Amino acid sequence: MLKRFLKPIKLPASADWAVLILRVGVSCLMLTHGYAKLTTFLGGDHSFADPIGIGEELSYVLTICAEFGCSILIILGLGTRAALIPLIITMVVVATVVHAKDPFDMKEHALLYVFPYIALFLTGPGRFSVDAKLYR
């Protein structure tokens, strides 16, 4: 079942290129957010929001893992669909919990990540990915 979930679907060549551009582009952008959080965390500042009640430090670590770690996996196209799940959850929490009382323009940034992540989840990583090489 896991193999079926992770295996890329066959797409037309032009769609494979589009998925590659989307996958790498959006992940590189998110990587900058994750890297900034990682360096701050490693610098000793562990103060962070606790939007779902699991503690500031655990919330911080999970966010770093999603924004930094999962972004690297998506750039490589390795375990892409599985790596997208934490990112989708993180961005939905940011939009609906962290910025719940804020105006829409504060939620928009997180939502602009959610939609490409959902599209990538539906299409898979495409032909130009480690997943495609693993699941031939």
Side-chain angles (χ1 to χ4, degrees):
M1 186 165 128
L2 181 63
K3 184 177 179 178
R4 226 173 96 207
F5 174 70
L6 293 175
K7 184 178 180 181
I9 58 175
K10 287 207 179 254
L11 298 170
S14 60
D16 278 320
W17 283 105
V19 168
L20 174 67
I21 291 166
L22 182 63
R23 195 182 81 225
V24 172
V26 75
S27 296
C28 285
L29 293 172
M30 180 55 74
L31 197 59
T32 63
H33 296 281
Y35 182 75
K37 287 178 180 71
L38 177 63
T39 55
T40 301
F41 185 82
L42 293 176
D45 183 1
H46 296 186
S47 59
F48 195 69
D50 183 20
I52 56 175
I54 59 173
E56 287 183 14
E57 195 164 326
L58 183 56
S59 292
Y60 209 176
V61 169
L62 290 174
T63 302
I64 291 167
C65 287
E67 292 183 0
F68 187 77
C70 291
S71 291
I72 290 172
L73 292 174
I74 294 168
I75 289 168
L76 297 173
L78 179 60
T80 306
R81 284 192 173 109
L84 283 161
I85 294 169
L87 283 163
I88 291 169
I89 292 169
T90 300
M91 292 300 104
V92 168
V93 168
V94 169
T96 62
V97 179
V98 175
H99 293 295
K101 295 180 181 178
D102 294 335
F104 180 76
D105 64 332
M106 296 297 289
K107 300 171 187 175
E108 184 178 13
H109 196 221
L111 293 173
L112 285 171
Y113 281 101
V114 169
F115 297 119
Y117 289 154
I118 292 170
L120 286 169
F121 187 83
L122 295 173
T123 63
R127 178 175 46 153
F128 307 113
S129 65
V130 174
D131 285 343
K133 303 296 182 235
L134 291 175
Y135 297 104
R136 281 189 225 203

